[in-house]
Amino acid sequence: MAVQMTGMPESATSARMGVAFMLAGMLMFSLNDVLGKWLAASHSAFQVMTVRSLAALLVLSPFMLRLGWRRLVRVEQPYLHVVRALFFSVDALAFYYCVAFMPLADAMTYWLAVPIYVAAASPFLLGKKVGWRRWLAILVGFSGVLIALNPSSASFSLPALVALGGSLAYGGAVVLGRKLREAPDVTLVTWQVVSALISASVGLAIFPESWSPVSPVNLGLLGLLGIVALCAHIFVNRSLKLADAATVVPLQYTLLFWAVLFGWLIFSDVPRPTTVIGAVLIVLSGLFIFFREQTVKRAAQRTQVTEVL
């Protein structure tokens, strides 16, 4: 009993720190989104990713040297690191492509569905049990994605499909991040940045016309983009280590608030009605999944305590 009581405050403190890091990470991602949309109007996704990754590696290099190359390269389950890093590369490239053609709020609606993807994948990849109530909420969430996608001949566009694919890739990266929670933050971020640089460089090699002249101002913004994105990933990785995914992942819904606010203030964007309806269903579904998971956890804890007594 004394050991359990001593551990409880530490767990609560860890959860609060995880929430704080996730909120900070979402704000940083929102700033990344604004910069990305601004730069995507003048430069291709491959070019944005290349310069962003180089800037991130420059900032990350002192931490990489401090950690040592052995801990960066010699990791457990390297194939999971590779797949996770590739998922993040697809996620970033998809975002920088689609955001050039879509309002921020429209694009971010697809990424709002990530908690639903995580809940759907948890039984198969994390071994977690999902009851019929949460499966029903998952179906409601997916219906929200379909409504936001608005699959008609007029709106079933390539940018929307790319956004959907990018959000799925990000969901996969989040799930794998939970399986690699013991790896150092610097290791996780380094693999992400290196993968992004390689992927973008391959894209530029295949499509050299994607590279366009860069003004000094845009070069500075591209470098700032790398730093902001790096901080965002570090905050999110730390959040997922400090708190359970079911606790912090739903906080990604704050992205919608920032996307609407920044999109309106900076780009004069107004979300489509179908996007608003779909976003509401997605958020409600995700919140239900979150609260249901907390209820199940509390019930399981009470059962364990009863068995001990």
Side-chain angles (χ1 to χ4, degrees):
M1 291 295 291
V3 174
Q4 291 178 355
M5 291 177 66
T6 302
M8 287 175 62
E10 295 178 357
S11 177
T13 300
S14 176
R16 285 195 294 269
M17 290 296 295
V19 168
F21 272 109
M22 180 60 75
L23 290 174
M26 292 305 101
L27 177 58
M28 298 301 287
F29 269 126
S30 299
L31 297 176
N32 169 79
D33 298 343
V34 172
L35 286 171
K37 182 173 176 61
W38 184 276
L39 293 166
S42 306
H43 306 286
S44 69
F46 296 129
Q47 186 174 7
V48 171
M49 279 280 289
T50 299
V51 181
R52 188 198 84 161
S53 300
L54 289 172
L57 281 177
L58 182 63
V59 175
L60 194 60
S61 56
F63 302 97
M64 296 165 58
L65 292 173
R66 182 178 179 181
L67 184 66
W69 69 271
R70 295 180 187 276
R71 296 189 67 186
L72 291 174
V73 178
R74 297 182 178 179
V75 295
E76 295 182 0
Q77 299 178 301
Y79 62 95
L80 289 185
H81 282 273
V82 171
V83 174
R84 176 180 174 275
L86 288 175
F87 275 151
F88 270 119
S89 297
V90 172
D91 155 52
L93 285 170
F95 176 80
Y96 291 131
Y97 171 80
C98 74
V99 80
F101 305 96
M102 304 170 64
L104 271 179
D106 285 25
M108 289 314 305
T109 295
Y110 300 102
W111 271 267
L112 287 176
V114 168
I116 299 170
Y117 305 152
V118 172
S122 292
F124 311 102
L125 299 180
L126 299 179
K128 293 185 177 181
K129 183 180 179 181
V130 176
W132 68 268
R133 296 178 181 85
R134 278 176 285 177
W135 277 118
L136 181 59
I138 289 170
L139 292 176
V140 172
F142 279 122
S143 69
V145 174
L146 289 176
I147 292 173
L149 189 60
N150 193 15
S152 66
S153 58
S155 60
F156 199 58
S157 62
L158 179 60
L161 291 175
V162 171
L164 179 61
S167 67
L168 286 169
Y170 183 66
V174 170
V175 173
L176 292 180
R178 291 296 296 167
K179 296 181 73 69
L180 297 172
R181 62 190 302 172
E182 299 302 323
D185 290 342
V186 175
T187 300
L188 292 172
V189 176
T190 298
W191 281 66
Q192 292 172 217
V193 175
V194 170
S195 174
L197 179 59
I198 294 174
S199 301
S201 300
V202 170
L204 286 174
I206 297 174
F207 304 102
E209 68 277 6
S210 301
W211 186 272
S212 60
V214 185
S215 67
V217 173
N218 279 4
L219 183 60
L221 291 176
L222 284 167
L224 180 61
L225 180 67
I227 297 172
V228 170
L230 176 63
C231 292
H233 282 296
I234 290 176
F235 288 164
V236 171
N237 288 340
R238 174 53 56 182
S239 171
L240 290 170
K241 287 187 174 186
L242 290 170
D244 189 84
T247 300
V248 296
V249 168
L251 295 175
Q252 294 179 7
Y253 294 135
T254 57
L255 278 173
L256 183 59
F257 168 77
W258 295 119
V260 172
L261 180 62
F262 291 146
W264 176 59
L265 291 177
I266 300 175
F267 303 105
S268 300
D269 287 339
V270 178
R272 294 178 295 112
T274 52
T275 300
V276 175
I277 296 172
V280 169
L281 288 177
I282 291 170
V283 170
L284 291 176
S285 171
L287 289 176
F288 178 84
I289 291 171
F290 166 69
F291 287 117
R292 181 60 187 169
E293 287 180 344
Q294 301 312 301
T295 300
V296 171
K297 285 183 179 179
R298 286 193 295 268
Q301 291 172 352
R302 286 195 297 268
T303 301
Q304 291 176 354
V305 171
T306 301
E307 292 176 351
V308 171
L309 296 175

